[in-house]
Amino acid sequence: SLVSPHGIGVRDDQALMLVFDVLGVLQSPDDILNAIHTCSRLFGALLERGELFVGHLPEEEATMAGSGGALRKYKVWMRHRYNSCCNRLAELLGHRSFKIKELALCTLMKFVQLEGAHPLEKSKWDGNYLFPRGLLLADSSLLISRFQEYLEHDDIRYHTMQATVDLVARVTDTHQVPPMFWNNTFTLISAVSLPRQQSDISNFYVKHKAPPLPALVFQEHKHVFEKMWFSFLKHKLPVSLYKKVLVIMHDSILPHMSQPSLMIDFLTSAYDIGMSLLSICSSFHHSEYPEFYRKLYSLLDPSVFHVKYRARFFHLADLFLSSSHLPAYLVAAFAKRLCRLSLTAPPEALLMVIPFICNLLRRHPACKALIHRPSLTTDPYDMEEEDPAKSHALESCLWELKSLQRHYHPEVAKAAMAINQALSPHEVSIAQLLELSPYEIFEKDFKKEESGPVPLEFIQPQGLLGRRGDLCVEHFALD
């Protein structure tokens, strides 16, 4: 039997019995909340007082049977009980009661803070430390949201990213990964927000006299951030997660990547499963992707003016086509395809796409030849050709813009008339036009004041069914 070492005192003899009782309750379904509270106070005090064994933990049975001193046996035994407590708290992260899960998490994080200040093993903070890994395996999205509050601390964020990389690698070694694991992992890592510069790294959860070097270095945070996302995105994810990742990629992931082009494999996978529009919108580091412009070109069909992400698509497409190093045939293909699509586009889209096309011509003077080609009798442009290089767009002309000058909406007709004169060297900003809606156009037209009568018909109608000679008059009559 284990006895407390000489000089420890009666209070610690009682603590030994209390440990047995508390761990027993922690394993039972009754009164778990009080047991967690007690473990928090008990082992928190033992950590602060230095009464847990420090160093590589020896086997319990061998230590108890050995000839070591009573104090060493006491600390080894208590350290084993502390480990049992932490393991049980990790199991409770999957409990059906949110109160129990939350309290278990908060207790684990308290131990993280105390053990960081009073290390039990010197190498602990060099790696993953006491990260509550059960978070990702349990169906606990609410609990993960609770844990996200800790991610504002630079050291917790750093070690969480490291732990996530290791955990994803271990879990994916198994034959079947539960879908909730991918969802929980995304919920966690999508909340990781990196500091912007070295001076922003100053908020530490564990109060060290000198924090470990990796958690202090901004570049180390970026490196682990990249590693975390690559380790997650290289696997086949549930289809629902592709869209979630793509929505945040442009603002939350790519700006922190030193080599964003490494995301191309993921973007290609997203494209192949039908997330093409968001995939293209998320990847603006495209220079190393040979099929990028061909895929972008293939996205230009009549639906592009009606999709939910139209504004983001054209904003980023504007960036993609801004490089002066793009060949003229490529820019001409995009301009011509947009012109052809504009013949059936709604007014709110035309008010944006016409300046878009004109900006392309301003950036690439070699394409201005498309504006006026009076000798052209037939249009050589092949709308069905998927390869911009083979579409013959550079040999065509933009007669569609001339047709739009007779559009029924006066603002569209006015915008199309920009090609009647030499284009100004300054581009027109389309930022305010990207989100233009039919309602806004209607409201603007409705509030417009007309100075005189508005002609509705060139020939004044006669009768209810229309003017004389109309088909309605020939085939229908009012009784």
Side-chain angles (χ1 to χ4, degrees):
S1 61
L2 176 71
V3 295
S4 60
H6 179 71
I8 293 292
V10 178
R11 181 176 301 174
D12 291 282
D13 288 328
Q14 296 172 344
L16 296 177
M17 299 304 299
L18 177 62
V19 170
F20 280 116
D21 293 339
V22 171
L23 292 180
V25 175
L26 204 60
Q27 296 290 338
S28 70
D30 303 321
D31 210 15
I32 296 179
L33 287 174
N34 285 332
I36 297 176
H37 279 298
T38 304
C39 284
S40 175
R41 293 193 298 270
L42 173 63
F43 288 110
L46 293 175
L47 278 165
E48 290 179 327
R49 287 157 51 181
E51 294 189 17
L52 299 182
F53 181 82
V54 177
H56 180 69
L57 186 61
E59 293 290 336
E60 183 178 357
E61 293 183 3
T63 302
M64 295 300 105
S67 58
L71 180 59
R72 185 176 188 273
K73 291 182 178 181
Y74 167 79
K75 289 188 175 184
V76 169
W77 182 87
M78 198 62 80
R79 171 81 176 278
H80 277 284
R81 303 290 78 75
Y82 170 70
N83 288 352
S84 298
C85 174
C86 291
N87 291 335
R88 178 55 181 160
L89 290 175
E91 293 174 358
L92 290 176
L93 294 176
H95 198 276
R96 62 180 180 275
S97 169
F98 179 74
K99 287 186 178 180
I100 291 176
K101 291 192 290 190
E102 183 181 30
L103 185 57
L105 170 65
C106 293
T107 303
L108 279 172
M109 295 309 296
K110 174 185 175 181
F111 291 162
V112 166
Q113 192 171 43
L114 288 173
E115 194 177 331
H118 309 280
L120 297 178
E121 292 186 24
K122 186 177 180 181
S123 61
K124 278 286 189 178
W125 276 100
D126 293 339
N128 298 330
Y129 195 61
L130 232 175
F131 177 68
R133 299 170 182 237
L135 278 174
L136 302 182
L137 297 173
D139 187 6
S140 50
S141 56
L142 286 176
L143 190 61
I144 292 176
S145 298
R146 179 68 175 84
F147 178 75
Q148 288 171 357
E149 299 175 15
Y150 294 98
L151 293 177
E152 65 184 34
H153 300 283
D154 297 311
D155 49 354
I156 294 295
R157 180 177 58 249
Y158 177 80
H159 292 290
T160 296
M161 291 189 293
Q162 278 198 326
T164 302
V165 172
D166 293 343
L167 185 59
V168 169
R170 287 196 297 106
V171 171
T172 51
D173 281 341
T174 61
H175 294 292
Q176 187 173 4
V177 180
M180 72 177 66
F181 173 79
W182 296 120
N183 289 317
N184 288 342
T185 303
F186 174 76
T187 302
L188 177 65
I189 65 179
S190 62
V192 174
S193 178
L194 285 186
R196 296 184 177 181
Q197 53 192 358
Q198 178 66 52
S199 59
D200 293 335
I201 300 179
S202 58
N203 184 16
F204 294 97
Y205 184 70
V206 177
K207 307 305 178 185
H208 293 277
K209 293 181 180 179
L213 183 61
L216 276 174
V217 181
F218 174 63
Q219 289 301 325
E220 286 292 327
H221 284 256
K222 289 192 65 175
H223 173 70
V224 178
F225 180 86
E226 277 190 342
K227 195 174 179 181
M228 174 186 70
W229 275 108
F230 288 144
S231 69
F232 177 71
L233 296 178
K234 72 179 182 180
H235 297 286
K236 185 177 181 180
L237 305 174
V239 175
S240 60
L241 278 184
Y242 279 92
K243 184 174 181 180
K244 292 181 180 179
V245 172
L246 291 168
V247 167
I248 68 169
M249 183 172 286
H250 179 255
D251 296 322
S252 303
I253 303 177
L254 290 179
H256 303 295
M257 296 287 186
S258 60
Q259 290 184 289
S261 59
L262 296 177
M263 301 296 291
I264 286 172
D265 289 340
F266 171 77
L267 295 169
T268 302
S269 298
Y271 179 89
D272 292 338
I273 66 169
M275 302 291 177
S276 53
L277 181 57
L278 284 176
S279 175
I280 293 296
C281 285
S282 298
S283 174
F284 56 84
H285 292 267
H286 48 78
S287 57
E288 298 178 25
Y289 192 18
E291 292 295 314
F292 177 85
Y293 284 105
R294 186 171 176 173
K295 288 183 180 290
L296 178 60
Y297 183 75
S298 68
L299 293 177
L300 296 178
D301 59 31
S303 67
V304 78
F305 297 121
H306 305 280
V307 292
K308 181 179 179 181
Y309 299 96
R310 183 190 74 190
R312 184 185 301 178
F313 175 80
F314 277 99
H315 168 68
L316 292 172
D318 192 42
L319 294 178
F320 303 155
L321 297 169
S322 62
S323 173
S324 59
H325 299 292
L326 296 177
Y329 77 84
L330 183 66
V331 177
F334 276 91
K336 180 62 180 179
R337 193 173 185 91
L338 287 172
C339 279
R340 185 65 59 86
L341 293 173
S342 67
L343 294 176
T344 56
E348 66 272 13
L350 288 173
L351 291 176
M352 175 272 299
V353 79
I354 292 175
F356 184 98
I357 295 169
C358 291
N359 284 345
L360 290 181
L361 301 179
R362 289 185 176 96
R363 295 171 192 163
H364 305 274
C367 295
K368 289 184 179 180
L370 276 68
I371 295 178
H372 186 61
R373 275 208 172 111
S375 60
L376 197 65
T377 56
T378 58
D379 193 344
Y381 174 68
D382 186 358
M383 184 73 173
E384 303 302 321
E385 174 57 54
E386 297 181 355
D387 188 349
K390 300 177 181 178
S391 65
H392 303 288
L394 199 55
E395 305 161 23
S396 179
C397 69
L398 306 183
W399 57 265
E400 296 90 349
L401 288 180
K402 199 71 176 178
S403 298
L404 290 176
Q405 294 179 6
R406 300 173 63 87
H407 196 275
Y408 69 87
H409 196 285
E411 293 297 325
V412 173
K414 180 180 178 182
M417 289 180 182
I419 64 168
N420 290 350
Q421 299 177 351
L423 292 174
S424 63
H426 302 291
E427 293 187 17
V428 175
S429 174
I430 63 171
Q432 300 299 321
L433 303 173
L434 291 173
E435 302 282 356
L436 194 62
S437 67
Y439 177 78
E440 290 175 297
I441 293 180
F442 177 82
E443 284 293 301
K444 183 179 178 180
D445 291 344
F446 185 74
K447 295 177 181 178
K448 188 182 298 183
E449 295 184 1
E450 296 293 342
S451 57
V454 179
L456 299 179
E457 278 280 3
F458 181 72
I459 301 175
Q460 186 173 357
Q462 297 176 357
L464 184 61
L465 292 179
R467 58 183 179 269
R468 184 175 301 173
D470 196 295
L471 286 176
C472 289
V473 177
E474 293 182 13
H475 299 284
F476 297 93
L478 293 176
D479 293 333

